[in-house]
Amino acid sequence: MKNLVILGAGTSGTMMANHLISKLPKREWNITIVDQFKTHYYQPGFLFLPFDIYTTKQVKKKGEKFIPKGVNYIQKKIELIKPDENKVQLEGDAQLDYDILIVATGTKIAPSEIEGMDGPMWYKNIFDFYTYEGAKALRNKLREWEGGKLVVHITEMPIKCPVAPLEFAFLADSFFKNKSMRDKVDITYVTPLGGAFTKPKATEALHHLLEEKGIKEVTDFNIERVDYENNKIVDYADTEVEYDLLVTVPTNMGDELIERSGMGDDLNYVPTNKATLQTNDYENIFAIGDATNLPASKAGSVAHFEAEILTDNILRYIKGEPLKAEFDGHANCFIETGNGKALLIDFNYTHEPVEGTFPFPGVGPLKLLKESRMNHMGKMAFRWIYWNMLIKGIHIPFVSTNMTTKGKKLEKINN
């Protein structure tokens, strides 16, 4: 018997287990997935927790429920990958041998990378919403907050779901309007980028929305430290932004396991071929989702598209066939804009988000780069799709793995 081992049972790892269990001959292959945590989180739901739009029960389930029968599920901490020996060391000196390894260990926030961020005011008036604990603590804070200067801040790129901080700012605008206290809240969006988003066309549309909602923008802000004693963030050019409530996206980094194993870049992401998903240094190790260093959005939709292509490439690798260099960086993301509306963006490595219709060219019903209630309904429906289809490896009808150019006003970008 040969062994395929998946490290990480988050979105990417669980999808891969579900894809491969029906594709690999059971008499020839053992599939094992390893993750120390028992809970599987619907991470896009963390955006809604602080505003009491979702409950805690709606964003978490027992992970075991989504691991298919026939897959060996090990709940232990992963200590080390030994790529030269084709072994994975687990806690308690247990070892796994592998013929093929899939790294799906994701990305995590690292507030300790910035001086003062996770100091004595962490989860008192400085919060993240990229973790279950942070989103829940922020929910409790917002329930009692009486207003002041709210700063929504990104530390540095890349981050998981780069539209989420914008969505938070938009939802905060709606939240405080609905509480009849918008006039008591000054919202500022602070980013290290030159504009609201990573892509020019979307930046233009999102800048307009920020202006329309009275949300100030501070761009090119490269944070040096959080002065938690005086409630202000300071960048390397000595620009200061004052806050009463700081909602920050700390530095995102790959799992420390990658660093311990000597397999990552400066941010612990695994160098990976952006078209085949095979790692650059080891031909029998593949990486997927947030664990990679791909120049694609770190979003669940990207992992979804990657999973379908990686499944094909695993099968090709086993047969000794050339890998398909087909992943195009496709991302498809709803951007909640508040007041029951949302935008939809669709882009890849070479095409930035543009106007058009999705999924049917010229028909829609979803409009690209335009606010609509239909897009908002799509965003809210995605939670059901995630739990019932995406995570189980079920193909989502009418949504192609590679970006289609039909029905779009395209502008090519260099990447």
Side-chain angles (χ1 to χ4, degrees):
M1 292 288 279
K2 293 185 177 179
N3 297 305
L4 183 145
V5 175
I6 303 169
L7 302 182
T11 303
S12 298
T14 303
M15 279 194 294
M16 287 308 300
N18 279 288
H19 278 295
L20 290 169
I21 189 63
S22 61
K23 302 284 175 51
L24 295 184
K26 293 179 175 55
R27 292 182 179 179
E28 299 175 23
W29 285 90
N30 284 320
I31 302 177
T32 300
I33 188 166
V34 188
D35 196 306
Q36 64 179 315
F37 300 108
K38 295 181 179 178
T39 303
H40 187 109
Y41 292 104
Y42 174 60
Q43 296 180 57
F46 293 169
L47 171 69
F48 297 105
L49 265 187
F51 304 108
D52 274 321
I53 297 172
Y54 283 172
T55 66
T56 53
K57 288 183 179 178
Q58 289 175 310
V59 301
K60 62 177 185 177
K61 294 181 186 289
K62 198 171 182 180
E64 188 175 15
K65 179 178 178 181
F66 301 98
I67 306 300
K69 290 181 180 178
V71 170
N72 183 28
Y73 184 27
I74 298 177
Q75 292 185 326
K76 283 189 175 183
K77 182 182 178 183
I78 308 159
E79 296 288 0
L80 198 65
I81 302 169
K82 300 177 179 178
D84 294 327
E85 302 175 31
N86 292 339
K87 294 181 186 296
V88 175
Q89 183 179 323
L90 307 179
E91 64 179 344
D93 289 332
Q95 284 204 138
L96 293 174
D97 295 321
Y98 65 82
D99 296 283
I100 296 174
L101 183 69
I102 298 174
V103 180
T105 45
T107 185
K108 296 169 178 61
I109 63 165
S112 61
E113 291 289 307
I114 300 298
E115 178 187 338
M117 186 173 281
D118 63 348
M121 298 310 290
W122 185 242
Y123 290 179
K124 290 182 180 174
N125 74 341
I126 304 172
F127 295 85
D128 79 284
F129 67 96
Y130 270 47
T131 60
Y132 175 75
E133 294 77 14
K136 189 177 171 184
L138 181 54
R139 178 200 66 183
N140 295 339
K141 179 71 176 182
L142 288 179
R143 283 176 176 175
E144 64 180 25
W145 196 51
E146 295 180 351
K149 295 175 181 174
L150 168 63
V151 170
V152 182
H153 166 253
I154 300 170
T155 299
E156 63 177 312
M157 304 300 282
I159 58 171
K160 185 184 296 189
C161 193
V163 298
L166 280 162
E167 293 181 285
F168 187 92
F170 294 144
L171 286 174
D173 171 68
S174 293
F175 178 75
F176 293 121
K177 279 179 180 170
N178 291 334
K179 291 184 76 172
S180 301
M181 57 178 286
R182 182 64 178 90
D183 59 334
K184 296 178 181 176
V185 180
D186 180 26
I187 305 176
T188 303
Y189 184 75
V190 182
T191 172
L193 300 173
F197 191 54
T198 55
K199 311 287 185 186
K201 195 76 177 178
T203 293
E204 189 180 322
L206 293 164
H207 170 73
H208 173 71
L209 280 172
L210 287 168
E211 271 193 333
E212 185 179 277
K213 295 173 188 300
I215 299 171
K216 298 172 190 168
E217 272 183 274
V218 177
T219 58
D220 298 311
F221 188 93
N222 296 301
I223 189 170
E224 179 192 14
R225 60 191 169 92
V226 177
D227 181 354
Y228 58 81
E229 292 179 331
N230 296 296
N231 289 347
K232 58 188 179 184
I233 52 177
V234 184
D235 80 350
Y236 283 99
D238 289 331
T239 304
E240 298 179 351
V241 178
E242 295 183 347
Y243 64 84
D244 295 301
L245 178 59
L246 175 63
V247 178
T248 186
V249 181
T251 300
N252 280 204
M253 297 184 73
D255 198 289
E256 291 178 356
L257 161 72
I258 305 303
E259 182 182 22
R260 290 197 298 272
S261 303
M263 294 176 62
D265 61 15
D266 291 344
L267 289 172
N268 298 344
Y269 296 126
V270 182
T272 305
N273 184 297
K274 71 177 191 177
T276 67
L277 305 176
Q278 186 178 43
T279 61
N280 290 348
D281 296 330
Y282 305 97
E283 69 168 18
N284 65 338
I285 302 180
F286 297 81
I288 183 170
D290 299 345
T292 73
N293 73 335
L294 301 190
S297 182
K298 290 189 178 300
S301 69
V302 175
H304 164 220
F305 300 134
E306 288 176 344
E308 296 190 4
I309 288 174
L310 181 54
T311 299
D312 286 345
N313 273 343
I314 294 288
L315 298 178
R316 285 174 170 268
Y317 177 79
I318 289 171
K319 294 175 183 173
E321 298 175 355
L323 303 183
K324 290 197 295 187
E326 287 194 354
F327 182 62
D328 65 353
H330 189 196
N332 183 275
C333 303
F334 290 104
I335 304 176
E336 192 69 15
T337 55
N339 301 313
K341 294 182 179 179
L343 291 172
L344 176 63
I345 56 175
D346 195 59
F347 59 101
N348 65 10
Y349 290 140
T350 54
H351 292 103
E352 69 164 291
V354 293
E355 295 179 3
T357 54
F358 185 89
F360 302 111
V363 177
L366 303 176
K367 292 182 178 178
L368 296 170
L369 219 51
K370 295 281 187 186
E371 267 191 305
S372 73
R373 291 197 178 279
M374 183 67 82
N375 286 338
H376 167 70
M377 291 167 65
K379 174 90 175 181
M380 303 312 284
F382 186 71
R383 180 166 56 89
W384 186 93
I385 293 171
Y386 181 89
W387 289 125
N388 294 282
M389 297 181 71
L390 188 142
I391 200 69
K392 295 179 179 177
I394 299 172
H395 181 72
I396 300 174
F398 314 120
V399 180
S400 59
T401 300
N402 293 109
M403 176 182 162
T404 175
T405 58
K406 293 178 181 175
K408 293 170 183 167
K409 301 173 184 175
L410 293 177
E411 293 179 24
K412 201 164 186 176
I413 59 173
N414 296 319
N415 200 337

